[in-house]
Amino acid sequence: MAIGLFILAVIIQLAMVLAIFLLSLSRVTGSILALITVLVTAFISPWSLILGLPIALLCLVLLITPIRQSLITKPVYKALGGAMPSMSDTEREALDAGTSWWEKELFMGAPDWDTFAKYPYPELSEEEQSFIDNEVEALCTMLDEWKIHHEDKELSPEAWRFIKANGFLGLIIPKEYGGLEFSSYAQSRVMSKIASRSPTAAVTCMVPNSLGPGELLMHYGTDEQKLRWLPGLAKGEEVPCFGLTGPEAGSDAGAIPDTGVVCYGMHEGAQVLGLRMNFSKRWITLAPIATVVGLAFKMHDPEGLLGNPEKTDYGITCALVPAKHKGVIIGPRHNPIGSPFMNGTVDGQDVFIPLDYIIGGVENAGRGWRMLMECLGVGRGISLPALSTSASEMSYLSVGAFAKVREQFKISVGKFEGVQDATSRIASNTYMLEAFRHLVTCGLNQGGTPSVMTAMAKYYATETMRSVINDGMDVVGGRAVQMGPRNFLAIPYQAIPVSITVEGANILTRSLMIFGQGAMRCHPYLFDELQLLQSEDKEGALKQFDNLFFKHLGYTFNRGAKAFVAGYVGGSNDAPRFADNFTRPYYKDINRLSASFALTADMSLGLLAGDLKRKEMLSGRLADIHSQLFICTAILQFYQYGSKSVAERLHAEVALKNSLYTIQEAFLSLFANFPNQLAAKLVRFVTFPSGRIFAPVSDELKRQLGDTFMDDFAANPFRDYLKTMVYYNTEPDDVTGRMEHAYQILLEVEPLWQKFKKAEHKDNFEGLTFEDHVVHASQNGDITEEEAEQLITYNSIRYDSLLTDTFDKHLSKVQERDNPHSLENAVHRLTDYAELKSNAQLNQASNDKDLPQTSENMASIDSMPDNNQPTGDANPNHGYESDGDVKMVNEQDTVKEVRAQTDFQNSHPQTEALGSRHRDAASHLNERMSYNHQLNKDKVVSPDNGQDEHAQQTESSDSKWKDGLRRDENDNV
């Protein structure tokens, strides 16, 4: 009995502690409740004081301020103060730059789903949609990326004029200054569509609308500066560039050696106070054609000319200088991995500029780094993710079309499981990127400069795009390797490193920025604590730290308790009001993982402190967890506003499972490599008590998505949706339209094509070529002449779509490719194989007629091949799809079929009219076919009768065939 009471009392005490943490009670309230519980359980069982006395003593320490500060607060303050590295003004500004949004909810471990549900889903206004449908569409028709890359090495004058005249450089500029003032989502959509046609043009339009003078002027410029520059930038009369990086400053842009020293100098004939500038900038996009240059430099005032003799170093400052200003040297172009967007150098030696060239005036001297961090964040959240999403979406469309059109081993390559392993990744990653784009621009549309979210967008969008393009190259193989104007993958593949490198190199972004800035911007207490640790007023800071530190502890224990409960009974059931049976379990997983992340992040920050800055692999894993949680919510939001079709659900399911598995593996890798293994094992026990909870995507799901990847229209609404996101066309002579054209034609004739190819594989047709087989099937009555024409036409289009380019021996001029299977050339593919074989069989039959009817001879006759029986592979299906609804000509005599053929609502007179040229060629081919293969099914007649009739038919056929051949030869002459 006593043992039972003791166990009961201990359980009550532990439940009390868990309840205090779960309810997030304050230090005072929680301590009082704990003391009361200890007293009550002491009456139940005095032995419970074994646990109760330590709890009671801790509560008394927490309640009595002098004791608490002496035993806990002061030692912690001193230890953390010594562990934290000193923070420069530049670092402090960088960490303090920007705002936070939904990523903060996920970091803190308790996402507010009601808030999430209220986020306005980004949509285009009528004006924005019209611009995309008209101006952007028109620009895309002007762009030929092969010509830009390999011939002109720049945009055409026509394209440049159109870009400037139609406001492409002023998407972000307010209408009062002549700009378009588009939303963040509209900017992303504009850049995506341009990039789907020409990455060079997209980068050209991207820079002025992201990190450039326009963005800085809008947020920080004086009224005079805005009036001076913004109208010209909006109209394209001014072309901007921004000089930040240089030979000594890349990822560590804060280390720029460029300087501006306050002094007096001459400007426009008068002596004014200004800056003597020395700078050397490299890798500056649009520099070779810029009319105005933004410059970042370190500003110094050694003489105290600005009025504060004690302040000589102001830090990073931004100024705006005309490109023609005396001493500014716009240097030669760079060649960024073959991508011919304008990129070059800007230099200056002892260049004097007045102080009012500083963006925002003297008041903004030294605030340049904060300005850059906030503006760079917006660019990272819109431009590069837009380009990455576009490249992935074009890969989805083109690789999907190729996977269906291209056949090997008698089936579409997209049916092979090895290929589906790659295509399922292309499909799910593209879905993720489109979802990611929507949630990020949703946050940007609401204002603010969420630097952590945009860092996530830059890194994971560009890295995912790299994966998609690489998978596409693997699937398309030789068709993508051979360069030329037919290649739809090589140029995006070639440009991948540009996206990875610019606007914050990816290694730096993942290993330092995402979690480093995330901890400062998203943690509810950390940044304020850090400020107090470095305060010069230690006594005053200690009092504030005492209060803040115990709030921080309460927050940590609360998340730990939530993670512990979730680890054993599952995550919280909290979810947005629109959650359904498919999405609700994923919200539960996110709740659990978010609480686990909050606890793990606090463990890392608390135990490693400043060392975490150097533990970049651990920081990178924390960045993966935080970012993938954000990505999961983006997928769920995008799915909510999508078609919710079976196909789209499949995309979302695979994308979600990939993200959740990535999160789990990042957790476990962090625990395995954490320096303090005792703490890591304890947190792992709390967060993953049963080990791994998520499995990789199953092979079955990959197969299903691989099949869906090759579908279109109602069978795959997501593919249909992607056509509206990019420059989509089906022109047979276009770099991307060629493959899509073949794909769409295949969708129309697929049942007929599948049935014909299966019969062909069974050796049902005579002849050596595809054209021979079509003629044989047509003459046998297996297909109609119209169906024969459809097969010949599709085969011609299919073959052309798979052709790669050839060049002269100097690789300077692309050669014309001949298509031997075209309607015009198909007649030359016909052979006399069937006739020769038939004649040989007739001769053999005639000889056999004169032989005595012995058993040996009868056996020889019986062993002759039967043309009406298949002699091919024992497997009749051989991997082909089911026959579908196509019927042979002898099955089409029903009243229902006749009525169906006279359904004028389903006719396409315009298409038929436009296809007259091909119809003429088809008629010509049919005529030649009739001359070449005028044979009936039973050419091998019985020895007893019909020999004379057959001879007459053969003679007639030979005569017509020869006449046709003569006419053909005359035509050729």
Side-chain angles (χ1 to χ4, degrees):
M1 181 65 178
I3 294 175
L5 292 174
F6 169 72
I7 294 173
L8 175 62
V10 170
I11 291 174
I12 292 173
Q13 290 174 352
L14 293 175
M16 171 271 302
V17 173
L18 183 61
I20 290 173
F21 292 157
L22 283 174
L23 297 174
S24 195
L25 300 180
S26 67
R27 171 173 50 83
V28 174
T29 304
S31 298
I32 294 174
L33 178 60
L35 287 171
I36 294 172
T37 305
V38 168
L39 292 173
V40 172
T41 53
F43 282 104
I44 296 175
S45 172
W47 288 103
S48 67
L49 290 175
I50 295 173
L51 177 61
L53 279 177
I55 293 175
L57 289 174
L58 178 59
C59 290
L60 291 174
V61 170
L62 294 176
L63 288 172
I64 302 172
T65 302
I67 299 177
R68 180 181 70 251
Q69 291 184 351
S70 176
L71 295 180
I72 300 177
T73 308
K74 287 182 180 179
V76 170
Y77 183 83
K78 184 177 180 180
L80 290 177
M84 288 294 180
S86 60
M87 187 184 300
S88 66
D89 291 339
T90 299
E91 287 181 305
R92 185 176 289 106
E93 285 189 357
L95 291 174
D96 194 32
T99 57
S100 57
W101 190 61
W102 176 244
E103 71 278 12
K104 183 173 183 176
E105 293 282 339
L106 296 167
F107 190 100
M108 292 171 57
D112 185 345
W113 296 113
D114 289 336
T115 299
F116 181 76
K118 293 175 184 176
Y119 287 147
Y121 191 68
E123 295 178 341
L124 297 174
S125 67
E126 290 185 10
E127 179 186 6
E128 292 165 343
Q129 185 67 64
S130 174
F131 186 82
I132 290 173
D133 292 341
N134 295 285
E135 283 83 353
V136 178
E137 184 81 9
L139 174 61
C140 288
T141 61
M142 301 177 185
L143 302 170
D144 181 341
E145 191 69 354
W146 173 261
K147 191 170 185 291
I148 293 169
H149 260 247
H150 297 275
E151 296 177 21
D152 298 341
K153 304 297 182 182
E154 61 178 326
L155 297 180
S156 67
E158 177 191 21
W160 263 117
R161 285 192 297 270
F162 191 86
I163 287 170
K164 293 178 179 181
N166 288 276
F168 283 87
L169 305 184
L171 300 179
I172 64 173
I173 295 175
K175 291 183 178 180
E176 61 185 294
Y177 297 105
L180 295 177
E181 200 174 353
F182 279 0
S183 67
S184 297
Y185 177 61
Q187 294 172 48
S188 177
R189 288 284 304 277
V190 169
M191 295 306 161
S192 279
K193 188 163 184 175
I194 299 173
S196 69
R197 192 61 174 170
S198 167
T200 303
V203 171
T204 300
C205 296
M206 174 187 87
V207 171
N209 292 291
S210 55
L211 178 59
E215 179 82 13
L216 293 170
L217 284 171
M218 285 167 49
H219 289 89
Y220 308 105
T222 64
D223 291 339
E224 293 79 8
Q225 289 171 338
K226 291 177 181 178
L227 288 171
R228 164 66 181 86
W229 294 109
L230 289 180
L233 291 170
K235 296 176 183 177
E237 296 168 357
E238 303 284 358
V239 177
C241 71
F242 194 90
L244 175 59
T245 53
E248 302 292 339
S251 296
D252 184 14
I256 54 177
D258 311 290
T259 59
V261 179
V262 180
C263 64
Y264 283 97
M266 298 299 295
H267 178 69
E268 296 181 350
Q271 190 178 48
V272 298
L273 190 62
L275 296 166
R276 182 72 58 189
M277 305 278 294
N278 288 281
F279 50 88
S280 179
K281 302 294 186 181
R282 297 293 181 271
W283 317 305
I284 310 306
T285 302
L286 297 188
I289 58 169
T291 62
V292 57
V293 180
L295 291 172
F297 57 94
K298 288 184 176 177
M299 181 171 161
H300 306 276
D301 183 16
E303 300 178 73
L305 297 177
L306 296 180
N308 186 356
E310 297 181 359
K311 187 172 184 179
T312 58
D313 297 326
Y314 280 77
I316 295 177
T317 303
C318 296
L320 204 57
V321 183
K324 294 182 178 180
H325 190 81
K326 184 178 179 181
V328 175
I329 302 172
I330 300 294
R333 289 178 64 179
H334 292 307
N335 186 8
I337 208 163
S339 296
F341 59 87
M342 289 294 173
N343 189 271
T345 65
V346 181
D347 292 279
Q349 191 74 26
D350 293 329
V351 178
F352 180 80
I353 64 171
L355 288 176
D356 60 10
Y357 278 17
I358 297 174
I359 297 176
V362 179
E363 292 78 7
N364 272 347
R367 297 189 62 213
W369 189 237
R370 182 187 183 97
M371 293 159 59
L372 290 172
M373 290 302 298
E374 292 180 344
C375 292
L376 181 64
V378 175
R380 286 184 300 185
I382 298 175
S383 301
L384 287 170
L387 269 62
S388 299
T389 302
S390 171
S392 299
E393 290 175 345
M394 288 305 298
S395 297
Y396 187 113
L397 294 171
S398 298
V399 175
F402 175 89
K404 190 171 185 69
V405 170
R406 176 66 163 154
E407 294 181 0
Q408 292 288 271
F409 307 103
K410 307 299 183 181
I411 61 175
S412 295
V413 297
K415 285 290 184 179
F416 293 99
E417 284 195 7
V419 173
Q420 289 178 335
D421 192 30
T423 57
S424 63
R425 284 196 301 269
I426 296 175
S428 59
N429 282 334
T430 303
Y431 189 87
M432 181 276 280
L433 284 174
E434 187 62 36
F436 201 11
R437 182 242 294 272
H438 274 78
L439 188 57
V440 170
T441 54
C442 174
L444 293 172
N445 280 347
Q446 296 186 32
T449 53
S451 55
V452 178
M453 178 186 74
T454 54
M456 293 176 179
K458 193 275 173 181
Y459 175 80
Y460 291 94
T462 55
E463 287 294 340
T464 303
M465 176 269 294
R466 171 156 46 184
S467 171
V468 169
I469 298 292
N470 282 335
D471 280 331
M473 292 291 291
D474 287 349
V475 173
V476 180
R479 176 69 171 81
V481 168
Q482 299 299 332
M483 293 290 289
R486 289 172 171 266
N487 195 318
F488 51 82
L489 265 182
I491 288 177
Y493 176 80
Q494 183 177 321
I496 286 173
V498 176
S499 297
I500 299 299
T501 303
V502 301
E503 294 197 19
N506 276 10
I507 290 177
L508 169 77
T509 301
R510 174 180 176 266
S511 60
L512 284 177
M513 294 182 64
I514 293 176
F515 184 73
Q517 282 192 319
M520 295 297 146
R521 300 307 310 158
C522 299
H523 196 287
Y525 307 110
L526 187 62
F527 184 75
D528 292 335
E529 289 174 328
L530 194 59
Q531 297 287 82
L532 293 173
L533 289 171
Q534 298 194 350
S535 173
E536 295 181 0
D537 180 11
K538 299 299 182 183
E539 186 175 347
L542 183 63
K543 293 180 180 179
Q544 297 180 57
F545 183 80
D546 178 57
N547 182 53
L548 206 59
F549 175 69
F550 283 99
K551 285 184 177 180
H552 187 161
L553 281 180
Y555 160 84
T556 302
F557 286 126
N558 172 259
R559 276 24 180 199
K562 286 186 174 182
F564 177 79
V565 172
Y568 286 91
V569 301
S572 165
N573 288 319
D574 290 345
R577 59 179 179 273
F578 52 66
D580 57 22
N581 291 335
F582 169 66
T583 60
R584 193 173 298 280
Y586 292 108
Y587 286 112
K588 189 171 184 177
D589 290 333
I590 293 170
N591 289 331
R592 172 181 180 173
L593 294 171
S594 179
S596 298
F597 174 65
L599 175 64
T600 305
D602 258 18
M603 173 194 73
S604 302
L605 291 165
L607 296 180
L608 297 180
D611 285 342
L612 187 58
K613 185 177 180 179
R614 291 176 287 275
K615 298 290 185 181
E616 296 179 14
M617 295 183 187
L618 296 181
S619 178
R621 294 184 182 104
L622 290 166
D624 289 340
I625 297 169
H626 192 192
S627 302
Q628 291 294 338
L629 284 170
F630 188 93
I631 287 170
C632 282
T633 60
I635 295 168
L636 290 168
Q637 184 203 53
F638 186 67
Y639 174 80
Q640 173 61 32
Y641 288 92
S643 67
K644 294 189 177 180
S645 62
V646 173
E648 183 166 355
R649 178 177 295 189
L650 185 59
H651 284 78
E653 183 176 5
V654 174
L656 286 164
K657 287 182 179 295
N658 281 331
S659 286
L660 292 174
Y661 185 75
T662 300
I663 292 170
Q664 171 184 267
E665 296 308 298
F667 267 118
L668 298 179
S669 294
L670 184 140
F671 295 146
N673 291 279
F674 198 77
N676 188 328
Q677 275 296 292
L678 179 62
K681 289 178 180 178
L682 176 61
V683 174
R684 174 171 178 164
F685 170 75
V686 170
T687 54
F688 289 87
S690 59
R692 286 178 167 82
I693 54 177
F694 303 111
V697 177
S698 68
D699 291 352
E700 178 58 28
L701 278 178
K702 290 180 181 179
R703 283 192 292 268
Q704 291 177 23
L705 187 53
D707 286 338
T708 302
F709 178 68
M710 296 185 291
D711 290 334
D712 203 356
F713 306 115
N716 185 5
F718 181 64
R719 188 182 198 276
D720 221 25
Y721 166 85
L722 292 183
K723 300 172 190 175
T724 67
M725 297 289 108
V726 299
Y727 179 74
Y728 175 81
N729 76 96
T730 57
E731 295 298 324
D733 295 325
D734 184 80
V735 59
T736 56
R738 180 179 287 107
M739 185 57 69
E740 185 68 12
H741 176 63
Y743 170 77
Q744 293 297 336
I745 297 298
L746 174 57
L747 293 182
E748 294 177 9
V749 303
E750 185 174 16
L752 172 64
W753 178 258
Q754 293 279 4
K755 176 170 262 187
F756 179 82
K757 294 296 286 185
K758 183 162 62 176
E760 186 181 47
H761 178 68
K762 293 178 180 179
D763 290 339
N764 286 358
F765 309 128
E766 298 288 359
L768 299 177
T769 66
F770 175 83
E771 287 76 10
D772 282 343
H773 296 167
V774 172
V775 169
H776 188 271
S778 176
Q779 295 300 325
N780 278 357
D782 294 329
I783 57 175
T784 65
E785 288 188 9
E786 182 179 0
E787 289 170 337
E789 180 186 332
Q790 288 178 340
L791 289 170
I792 293 290
T793 300
Y794 169 67
N795 190 54
S796 168
I797 294 170
R798 177 197 65 82
Y799 186 83
D800 181 71
S801 74
L802 299 174
L803 287 175
T804 55
D805 292 287
T806 58
F807 295 80
D808 59 17
K809 66 179 181 179
H810 300 295
L811 297 178
S812 59
K813 186 176 180 180
V814 180
Q815 298 177 335
E816 292 290 332
R817 294 305 312 267
D818 180 57
N819 184 356
H821 295 286
S822 67
L823 285 170
E824 292 79 5
N825 294 332
V827 64
H828 304 300
R829 302 278 299 172
L830 297 173
T831 70
D832 58 356
Y833 173 85
E835 186 175 2
L836 292 173
K837 181 177 180 180
S838 177
N839 289 339
Q841 291 173 343
L842 289 172
N843 290 335
Q844 181 66 37
S846 178
N847 294 335
D848 291 341
K849 180 179 179 181
D850 299 331
L851 292 175
Q853 300 295 315
T854 65
S855 59
E856 290 81 2
N857 293 336
M858 292 301 294
S860 175
I861 295 174
D862 291 340
S863 66
M864 289 180 61
D866 184 356
N867 289 335
N868 293 324
Q869 296 297 324
T871 59
D873 198 311
N875 177 6
N877 293 322
H878 200 74
Y880 279 97
E881 297 296 316
S882 58
D883 293 342
D885 297 328
V886 174
K887 296 181 179 181
M888 292 303 181
V889 66
N890 59 358
E891 299 176 295
Q892 298 179 7
D893 297 330
T894 66
V895 175
K896 182 178 179 181
E897 292 290 339
V898 172
R899 288 178 178 174
Q901 293 174 20
T902 57
D903 185 357
F904 295 103
Q905 292 183 352
N906 292 329
S907 64
H908 303 282
Q910 184 178 6
T911 303
E912 295 172 3
L914 293 176
S916 58
R917 179 169 61 88
H918 298 290
R919 296 287 296 180
D920 292 343
S923 300
H924 186 64
L925 177 62
N926 286 335
E927 183 181 355
R928 300 293 175 85
M929 288 176 175
S930 65
Y931 292 135
N932 200 32
H933 288 281
Q934 196 74 23
L935 298 173
N936 295 325
K937 284 184 179 179
D938 15 330
K939 289 181 180 178
V940 182
V941 296
S942 166
D944 299 325
N945 56 64
Q947 183 66 43
D948 294 339
E949 181 182 355
H950 172 75
Q952 293 174 2
Q953 289 177 349
T954 303
E955 182 179 358
S956 174
S957 175
D958 288 343
S959 175
K960 290 181 179 179
W961 182 81
K962 291 175 182 178
D963 288 344
L965 181 60
R966 290 193 194 96
R967 284 199 295 272
D968 184 42
E969 291 173 347
N970 292 334
D971 290 344
N972 290 335
V973 174

